[in-house]
Amino acid sequence: MLENLPKTYNPKDFEDRLYKYWEDNGHFIAPVDENKEPFTIMMPPPNVTGSLHMGHALNNTIQDILIRWKRMEGYAALWLPGTDHASISTEARVVDKLKSEGKSKEELGREKFLEEAWEWTHLYGGTIKRQLRKLGVSCDWSRDKFTLDEDLSFAVEEVFNRLYEKGLIYRGDRIINWCPSCKTAISDAEVEHIDTNSFIWHINYPVKDSDKNLTIATTRPETMLGDLAVAVNPKDERYQDLVGKTVILPLVNREIPIIADEYVDMEFGTGAVKITPSHDPNDFEVGERFDLGQYVIFDEEGYINSNGGVYEGLERFEARKRIVEDLEKEGYLEQVKEHENAVGHCERCRTVIEPIISKQWFVKMEPLAKPALEAYKNGELNFIPERFGKIYTHWLENIKDWCISRQLWWGHRLPVYYCQDCDEIMVGREKPEKCSKCAATNICQDTDTLDTWFSSALWPFSTLGWPKDTEDLQYFFPTDVLVTGYDIIFFWVIRMVFSSLEQMGQLPFKDVFLTGLVRDSQGRKMSKSLGNGIDPLEVIEVYGADALRFTLVTGNTPGNDMRFHMERVEASRNFANKLWNATRFVLMNLDESVAEQEFRMEDLEEEDKWILSRLNRIIGEVTNNLDKYEIGLAAQRVHDFIWDDYCDWYIEMVKSRLYGDNKESKELAQQVLLYVLKDINKLLHPFMPFITEEIWQHLPGNEKDLIETTWPTTRKDLDFPQAEERIQYVKESIKAIRNARAEMNIAPSRKATIIFVSREKDIRDLIERGRSHYINLASAEDIKVQASKEGLGDDNVAVVLNKAEAFLPLKDLIDYEKEVERLEREKEKLEEELRRVRGKLANEGFVSKAPEKIVQEERDKLAKYENMMDKVLERLENIEKYRKI
Ligand SMILES: [Zn+2]
Ligand SMILES: [Zn+2]
């Protein structure tokens, strides 16, 4: 006797156990195997100290589905996991921790601070990896990487050197986003623009030796301290005569030129703008064109420096207040208007960003962006869905040089060295012993670290051992598909593409599968501040990982946001439960020695052929859907096949054979049940790995674990289109008969003879062949199949079928006369009640004098009786409707 599954489906009984079993047996490890084709996915590395959220859960479920499927298809399937050091985010958290201990990073010094950061990393670094395991991810942990690993750091240094040697990395003055609180440059992508109610100030700048004023408009009046010009459009008639003259900067009385530049929008404000090259990216460019020089007015903490004259030492917003007051006092303020403004904030600490000129290191983007654009235009790089190609193109076409230096300590330090004696800059793979120019030995390394994305841009090849020419790199690179959120096309996808094209001469991947956001049930973004985040681990705790995974992928199309409903997780759990119970039923009715044998084709009965042929079709469709990354559709197909075809129909259809006396027919049913059940578990495995493996381990005749077994393929010899059509007909007609009975409230236990009438012989034959199904599944006492209505009784329920009609004698279903009589009596009673209540409510005296509560009670009664009346009338109508001859 086979060991059956436990009575209830309880994922906690086996999910952790199976994960450990797979891992212990090395099932996740991808060996380099020349007899196999490689299939590679690099896991987007989560922040090392982060914890799992729904976005990760969705993303990793999709990757796991693809990798499990490809592994079963016979590929050497490598899914390489890892974590990112996430410089700014980790550093900010360590700084916070120190703060709570009354310490600062400056006090501690670089070395001690890094010790603290490593300690933090070791303390929280394992969390997300443990959480990913709960989800069932089958990634190769033996190849786990961290962006600060020695070999990955080596790759970072190598790339920096190579780019520098090619002249693609340079040091320069540029406007960068400065966070005065984090005291570092941050990338455009780390700036969060928040709509803020603010003002726009119109200020008069007196034209020198004239009684005229030039009025400029600004949202940051304090930056006027750094103005180096006022600009107008050369085509602007209003200012033709002023170009070339100068204005006197109010409050500080500095003389600055009036210049003409195409950049100025004549329609905006007064058509005259102040130019502050050191504190605005556009003004910086104007400044370069006119050689205006630089005039920095803020220090690194956002206070006015000595260039600000009497305002020196004021915090920037305090300075704004004082300057506006002074402008007003001295009559320079023309007007103040309310103004909504998208103000840039630091994504980490929410401080308002200050654009500031700074000496930073940059990657020259134009020569790198070009091949990345071409690769997409040539069709070598695909986006799923396709529309994201536009965003990719847009970003690349408008890309600016990439500021890669950060004033942080946690990360890869720039391999840049300065001679303290002659200021010579040296870039190298090791610290030079002496200055290449003056031979001095007084040399120190740049204190900055690299933008986090500099190292993650190398992820697809640095993780495989590059720059060493390793076996892994040769075999697994380039990777096949990248699965990531659409929000990081710019941060990450683009940078991986151009880095790989530059260093490897190849694209890092062919396909980019973009996932949408997981929103809450109301469609809102899950966020800490709203408190509407759903913890995937809590969902797993209650419903199991399989249910969570299945919910995340069903009904989800690539690139589209989805709403997360707990009811849907429950439905997924119910689906797993249904498969569990069906399996228990099959196992209970299985004779092991019989079931393991291959069924004899020539003995197959019609429903056997039908389910086998349906299975064939589903295998083809699911494989095809997965090939096209239509993961949601694939999941839906498997679900419907299992729920509907296998559980609701096939099992029900063969029950009579399993319980019957015909030994051969019984054994055949067992064999087909088991055969289909095995393939069902294979097809469902990538989506619901745990329950399928658990079931698989209980099925007889399996030598391999499910995770390493082969993906089912379609079999020509199991195509039975005719049987499919016939059983489909039987199914449809049973459904129609069941519906008619349900509409009339007839219990399934009440049997009725069904008389089928069809003029077509084929249909009559087909129905006749389905005799046992009608008897078992359509509550038929008996069936009669005839070519005409001859001999039909008077009162029948008629059900229209395709090319046929089914008649159920009303007397079999209900005691017709009695039922109509009963309904008529009920109708009379209700009419009486209704008359009484309506009368009461029509009585002005009652309605105005009786307590509101009593009146309401009468109104409720009215609604109740009306509702009951509708039901009675409907039932009477239904009886009439079906009482056709
Ligand atoms: Zn900040
Ligand atoms: Zn020197």
Side-chain angles (χ1 to χ4, degrees):
M1 196 49 196
L2 286 162
E3 188 207 342
N4 208 339
L5 296 169
K7 216 166 188 158
T8 43
Y9 164 62
N10 184 3
K12 269 194 203 153
D13 290 346
F14 53 84
E15 290 194 347
D16 289 347
R17 166 170 53 78
L18 283 176
Y19 194 86
K20 188 170 181 305
Y21 173 82
W22 288 326
E23 207 178 348
D24 289 350
N25 282 281
H27 286 323
F28 304 157
I29 295 175
V32 171
D33 182 346
E34 291 307 333
N35 298 317
K36 286 183 173 183
E37 285 270 317
F39 180 85
T40 316
I41 302 179
M42 298 295 172
M43 179 189 288
N47 290 359
V48 64
T49 58
S51 52
L52 196 75
H53 57 61
M54 273 301 173
H56 295 126
L58 168 64
N59 209 268
N60 284 286
T61 295
I62 289 172
Q63 294 175 69
D64 195 47
I65 288 169
L66 294 172
I67 214 80
R68 283 180 188 267
W69 165 55
K70 284 292 177 183
R71 192 183 288 126
M72 289 170 83
E73 278 205 325
Y75 288 82
L78 169 62
W79 183 17
L80 191 147
T83 42
D84 192 283
H85 66 285
S87 62
I88 191 166
S89 131
T90 307
E91 179 148 336
R93 289 170 72 175
V94 178
V95 166
D96 282 349
K97 182 213 162 210
L98 291 174
K99 211 182 205 171
S100 72
E101 295 165 358
K103 291 185 268 185
S104 80
K105 101 181 205 200
E106 287 77 11
E107 267 166 42
L108 225 59
R110 187 170 194 129
E111 214 168 294
K112 281 261 158 53
F113 176 81
L114 286 178
E115 274 171 28
E116 289 270 353
W118 274 110
E119 206 173 292
W120 180 272
T121 301
H122 292 139
L123 193 59
Y124 298 104
T127 309
I128 196 154
K129 290 191 221 167
R130 277 194 301 278
Q131 295 171 330
L132 278 166
R133 284 175 158 86
K134 291 291 258 184
L135 194 65
V137 297
S138 65
C139 53
D140 186 349
W141 292 112
S142 73
R143 286 181 169 91
D144 185 25
K145 295 289 176 190
F146 177 44
T147 45
L148 286 182
D149 283 348
E150 212 174 298
D151 43 351
L152 273 73
S153 303
F154 183 70
V156 165
E157 248 180 53
E158 184 63 24
V159 169
F160 190 98
N161 274 282
R162 287 187 186 192
L163 292 177
Y164 183 77
E165 283 156 15
K166 278 185 86 172
L168 292 174
I169 282 184
Y170 66 93
R171 191 187 195 211
D173 290 312
R174 285 288 181 280
I175 296 283
I176 45 105
N177 304 300
W178 182 262
C179 173
S181 170
C182 297
K183 282 184 252 166
T184 179
I186 62 173
S187 71
D188 289 343
E190 288 159 332
V191 176
E192 193 182 345
H193 291 274
I194 302 174
D195 286 333
T196 313
N197 290 322
S198 174
F199 299 97
I200 188 158
W201 288 270
H202 291 242
I203 307 168
N204 290 326
Y205 285 16
V207 179
K208 196 189 172 193
D209 301 331
S210 146
D211 53 2
K212 280 189 181 167
N213 280 319
L214 253 186
T215 308
I216 60 90
T218 179
T219 55
R220 291 153 68 214
E222 66 283 7
T223 61
M224 66 170 288
L225 300 175
D227 284 0
L228 292 179
V230 171
V232 296
N233 193 295
K235 291 194 199 101
D236 198 331
E237 309 252 323
R238 292 172 290 183
Y239 304 117
Q240 293 283 354
D241 56 326
L242 292 178
V243 175
K245 296 194 167 165
T246 59
V247 291
I248 305 295
L249 197 57
L251 307 183
V252 294
N253 297 323
R254 210 154 30 80
E255 198 174 321
I256 56 174
I258 301 168
I259 58 175
D261 192 275
E262 299 274 348
Y263 147 73
V264 181
D265 177 3
M266 296 195 294
E267 308 295 319
F268 179 77
T270 57
V273 295
K274 60 199 274 309
I275 299 295
T276 324
S278 304
H279 297 288
D280 181 278
N282 295 313
D283 293 5
F284 175 84
E285 283 171 23
V286 177
E288 292 269 279
R289 285 197 283 276
F290 287 84
D291 225 354
L292 295 176
Q294 295 295 335
Y295 201 80
V296 176
I297 58 154
F298 293 119
D299 69 11
E300 61 170 21
E301 290 178 45
Y303 286 77
I304 305 288
N305 65 14
S306 58
N307 279 341
V310 295
Y311 301 101
E312 183 181 354
L314 286 179
E315 190 274 334
R316 54 190 170 146
F317 295 110
E318 185 58 30
R320 176 178 296 179
K321 232 172 89 189
R322 281 274 302 278
I323 285 170
V324 170
E325 278 170 17
D326 291 352
L327 286 170
E328 185 159 28
K329 227 184 291 168
E330 299 188 25
Y332 292 111
L333 199 59
E334 173 79 17
Q335 61 168 320
V336 186
K337 276 196 208 162
E338 284 188 14
H339 180 71
E340 191 173 287
N341 199 5
V343 177
H345 287 68
C346 172
E347 195 185 59
R348 307 289 166 189
C349 73
R350 295 286 168 137
T351 303
V352 174
I353 289 302
E354 201 60 51
I356 202 164
I357 183 128
S358 171
K359 226 177 233 341
Q360 300 287 344
W361 287 86
F362 294 86
V363 174
K364 204 180 270 178
M365 281 315 307
E366 214 199 318
L368 292 170
K370 232 185 207 161
L373 260 174
E374 275 161 19
Y376 173 68
K377 287 181 177 160
N378 296 341
E380 294 162 52
L381 182 66
N382 307 304
F383 287 92
I384 300 117
E386 231 180 283
R387 65 175 186 274
F388 285 100
K390 265 196 208 130
I391 297 176
Y392 173 88
T393 310
H394 178 81
W395 277 111
L396 277 173
E397 282 172 348
N398 295 284
I399 205 160
K400 290 193 189 135
D401 285 355
W402 174 19
C403 175
I404 49 170
S405 44
R406 296 288 183 273
Q407 290 64 56
L408 297 168
W409 288 348
W410 178 241
H412 302 96
R413 201 162 164 181
L414 271 67
V416 174
Y417 305 88
Y418 303 99
C419 170
Q420 299 295 83
D421 291 359
C422 75
D423 288 340
E424 176 72 356
I425 298 172
M426 289 159 281
V427 170
R429 285 160 178 88
E430 268 159 47
K431 184 176 178 179
E433 284 184 9
K434 55 186 185 187
C435 171
S436 54
K437 195 170 162 199
C438 76
T441 52
N442 191 10
I443 287 164
C444 62
Q445 188 173 0
D446 196 310
T447 53
D448 288 356
T449 51
L450 286 162
D451 179 10
T452 300
W453 301 101
F454 194 92
S455 52
S456 41
L458 318 180
W459 192 247
F461 50 95
S462 65
T463 49
L464 293 171
W466 187 92
K468 288 195 195 113
D469 191 17
T470 61
E471 200 185 21
D472 271 9
L473 187 66
Q474 283 183 14
Y475 186 72
F476 290 112
F477 189 86
T479 72
D480 290 87
V481 55
L482 171 78
V483 181
T484 192
Y486 64 65
D487 48 343
I488 56 175
I489 293 188
F490 170 63
F491 292 87
W492 193 39
V493 179
I494 285 176
R495 283 168 186 163
M496 278 193 284
V497 171
F498 69 67
S499 299
S500 180
L501 286 171
E502 172 68 18
Q503 305 305 336
M504 306 295 298
Q506 287 185 78
L507 282 168
F509 29 71
K510 295 186 285 286
D511 298 336
V512 181
F513 180 112
L514 294 154
T515 56
L517 302 178
V518 183
R519 297 175 176 274
D520 74 0
S521 58
Q522 295 171 47
R524 298 173 304 178
K525 223 171 157 172
M526 291 190 186
S527 80
K528 273 205 185 106
S529 54
L530 278 176
N532 64 341
I534 298 170
D535 182 354
L537 295 168
E538 283 173 22
V539 179
I540 291 174
E541 180 66 23
V542 180
Y543 297 98
D546 283 336
L548 172 64
R549 292 168 60 115
F550 204 72
T551 306
L552 286 170
V553 298
T554 38
N556 188 358
T557 50
N560 287 338
D561 292 355
M562 66 172 295
R563 290 182 183 202
F564 193 87
H565 297 276
M566 222 34 120
E567 301 80 45
R568 288 195 44 225
V569 189
E570 228 174 290
S572 300
R573 199 259 329 266
N574 294 346
F575 168 56
N577 203 40
K578 179 133 180 154
L579 175 62
W580 186 268
N581 290 336
T583 305
R584 273 180 52 79
F585 173 82
V586 171
L587 284 174
M588 235 176 318
N589 289 284
L590 220 54
D591 188 338
E592 192 168 357
S593 60
V594 171
E596 275 182 55
Q597 295 158 18
E598 174 90 23
F599 48 80
R600 286 158 54 97
M601 295 285 277
E602 59 274 25
D603 296 339
L604 290 173
E605 297 188 19
E606 194 125 274
E607 63 269 18
D608 303 333
K609 289 183 177 171
W610 166 73
I611 195 76
L612 291 166
S613 197
R614 285 287 299 152
L615 173 66
N616 229 12
R617 192 179 295 274
I618 294 301
I619 291 170
E621 285 175 2
V622 170
T623 311
N624 190 18
N625 286 146
L626 287 173
D627 261 326
K628 291 190 292 191
Y629 298 105
E630 292 287 2
I631 290 169
L633 281 182
Q636 195 61 49
R637 292 246 144 74
V638 184
H639 170 276
D640 294 350
F641 178 72
I642 294 175
W643 188 289
D644 196 56
D645 292 336
Y646 188 73
C647 297
D648 280 356
W649 290 96
Y650 185 67
I651 289 183
E652 293 303 321
M653 283 176 170
V654 298
K655 267 184 183 168
S656 58
R657 286 162 66 189
L658 294 174
Y659 303 147
D661 302 327
N662 184 336
K663 187 164 169 283
E664 267 154 35
S665 175
K666 176 178 176 170
E667 288 176 0
L668 191 66
Q670 292 183 12
Q671 287 160 352
V672 176
L673 273 170
L674 182 64
Y675 180 89
V676 178
L677 184 59
K678 283 191 178 183
D679 272 6
I680 275 176
N681 279 289
K682 289 180 184 180
L683 288 172
L684 186 61
H685 179 70
F687 308 95
M688 291 188 150
F690 292 112
I691 184 178
T692 50
E693 182 76 81
E694 181 65 5
I695 287 175
W696 185 261
Q697 307 277 350
H698 284 79
L699 300 181
N702 291 330
E703 276 157 23
K704 285 182 167 178
D705 293 329
L706 181 57
I707 188 174
E708 53 163 1
T709 192
T710 33
W711 186 250
T713 46
T714 49
R715 280 175 57 176
K716 268 246 140 51
D717 62 333
L718 292 184
D719 262 335
F720 302 107
Q722 214 186 1
E724 269 196 72
E725 236 171 79
R726 285 188 180 140
I727 293 290
Q728 190 60 25
Y729 188 95
V730 173
K731 262 180 68 181
E732 293 303 324
S733 50
I734 290 174
K735 272 197 233 169
I737 293 165
R738 282 181 182 168
N739 280 346
R741 293 176 56 112
E743 270 186 63
M744 297 176 66
N745 259 334
I746 294 152
S749 56
R750 182 145 186 158
K751 308 269 180 204
T753 304
I754 307 174
I755 303 123
F756 290 96
V757 177
S758 177
R759 265 189 274 183
E760 295 188 30
K761 185 169 183 309
D762 285 357
I763 298 286
R764 293 202 300 276
D765 287 350
L766 190 161
I767 292 168
E768 188 58 58
R769 291 167 78 117
R771 165 177 291 272
S772 64
H773 302 317
Y774 292 108
I775 290 182
N776 294 325
L777 305 176
S779 305
E781 178 79 56
D782 186 16
I783 70 163
K784 288 179 187 156
V785 187
Q786 51 195 60
S788 74
K789 291 182 185 172
E790 212 173 296
L792 274 182
D794 278 348
D795 290 335
N796 289 296
V797 169
V799 183
V800 179
L801 308 173
N802 183 15
K803 294 177 187 164
E805 270 180 296
F807 296 93
L808 285 70
L810 210 49
K811 65 174 167 36
D812 283 6
L813 300 175
I814 46 174
D815 299 323
Y816 171 70
E817 300 295 340
K818 265 195 209 154
E819 180 68 3
V820 173
E821 215 173 276
R822 186 183 69 79
L823 288 169
E824 290 291 352
R825 261 204 316 275
E826 193 152 338
K827 192 176 144 198
E828 264 168 49
K829 244 197 285 174
L830 284 169
E831 273 167 355
E832 176 57 35
E833 290 293 340
L834 279 168
R835 207 172 305 128
R836 194 187 55 76
V837 179
R838 283 188 183 129
K840 231 174 177 177
L841 288 170
N843 179 347
E844 280 285 330
F846 169 75
V847 176
S848 59
K849 284 189 199 121
E852 177 57 30
K853 204 178 142 225
I854 304 284
V855 178
Q856 189 55 44
E857 267 171 23
E858 291 300 316
R859 288 203 181 105
D860 291 346
K861 268 188 210 162
L862 176 64
K864 190 176 93 185
Y865 293 143
E866 277 174 345
N867 191 314
M868 285 166 74
M869 186 60 134
D870 286 347
K871 289 230 169 83
V872 167
L873 292 175
E874 191 186 276
R875 253 173 86 51
L876 277 167
E877 209 177 290
N878 275 336
I879 288 178
E880 285 307 318
K881 187 169 101 192
Y882 286 109
R883 206 183 146 213
K884 279 184 293 186
I885 304 163

